[in-house]
Amino acid sequence: MPGAMAAGCERMVHPSILGKNDRRCQGRFIGVMLAAPFFTAGAAVTLVTSGMGVAVTMAAIFATFGLCWFAALLVAASGKMAFAGQVALVMGSLALAGVIAAAGGMASPAAMLVVALPFEAWWIGASRRAALWGAASAFVAILLQAFAGSVFPFGPAEIAAWHWLLPLVGRSPSFPASQHLAARPARS
């Protein structure tokens, strides 16, 4: 199935993109933007609803779907990924900061999701520079924990054992990529 999804995302890449590496990067970006809202919505429902209410949670979920899918559509229609990628990293950093804060802060297992931004940026951009920008976004998400109490209206959250599911489920789209990386022959 991951091969079929990759092929579908490859077909969504703008026809003006001719380089194989550029097509692969844009296809991965489109795939991540199409899949990311589902995992973010799951985290929002389980963590944020009790503190912010159903109406605000639903608005945040719909905004996440709209922004992510608009970014995918923008890249598919224009063939230009630079601006959309930067906006996606900024929004990912803010969303990650909110999820970690709602899960109880940096002591929560959900804080392991900070590894996701550098990995996804590296996987999509296929460069050290992309990984560094992803790491910078993750660092900003960590720094934003200091301001989370004044921005988000939820009270102190308890760290629950099921919070371990967030990093596992949230990174499940990366498992095929991890298996592909593990299957590559070692360079000599």
Side-chain angles (χ1 to χ4, degrees):
M1 187 65 167
M5 289 186 290
C9 293
E10 170 70 24
R11 277 185 242 127
M12 292 180 72
V13 175
H14 196 271
S16 69
I17 306 301
L18 300 175
K20 183 178 181 180
N21 190 35
D22 292 337
R23 290 191 68 79
R24 185 177 62 230
C25 290
Q26 286 200 8
R28 287 178 176 174
F29 179 81
I30 290 169
V32 167
M33 289 295 103
L34 292 176
F38 291 100
F39 302 106
T40 306
V45 166
T46 56
L47 295 172
V48 179
T49 304
S50 63
M52 295 177 70
V54 175
V56 174
T57 302
M58 291 298 291
I61 290 170
F62 290 143
T64 302
F65 271 93
L67 289 172
C68 287
W69 288 358
F70 179 71
L73 178 64
L74 182 67
V75 170
S78 70
K80 294 180 174 78
M81 193 175 77
F83 179 70
Q86 293 168 353
V87 171
L89 274 177
V90 169
M91 296 308 293
S93 181
L94 292 174
L96 181 60
V99 166
I100 293 172
M106 290 304 294
S108 170
M112 289 179 10
L113 288 172
V114 298
V115 177
L117 280 176
F119 177 76
E120 293 288 340
W122 170 79
W123 185 63
I124 291 168
S127 70
R128 277 196 191 123
R129 184 174 180 227
L132 288 174
W133 279 111
S137 298
F139 185 67
V140 168
I142 292 169
L143 290 178
L144 288 175
Q145 296 306 303
F147 305 106
S150 62
V151 175
F152 297 116
F154 24 83
E158 280 188 35
I159 299 170
W162 65 267
H163 287 175
W164 283 104
L165 294 175
L166 289 174
L168 293 175
V169 173
R171 292 301 92 211
S172 60
S174 301
F175 290 150
S178 304
Q179 292 169 355
H180 174 70
L181 291 174
R184 285 195 330 199
R187 292 182 184 166
S188 313

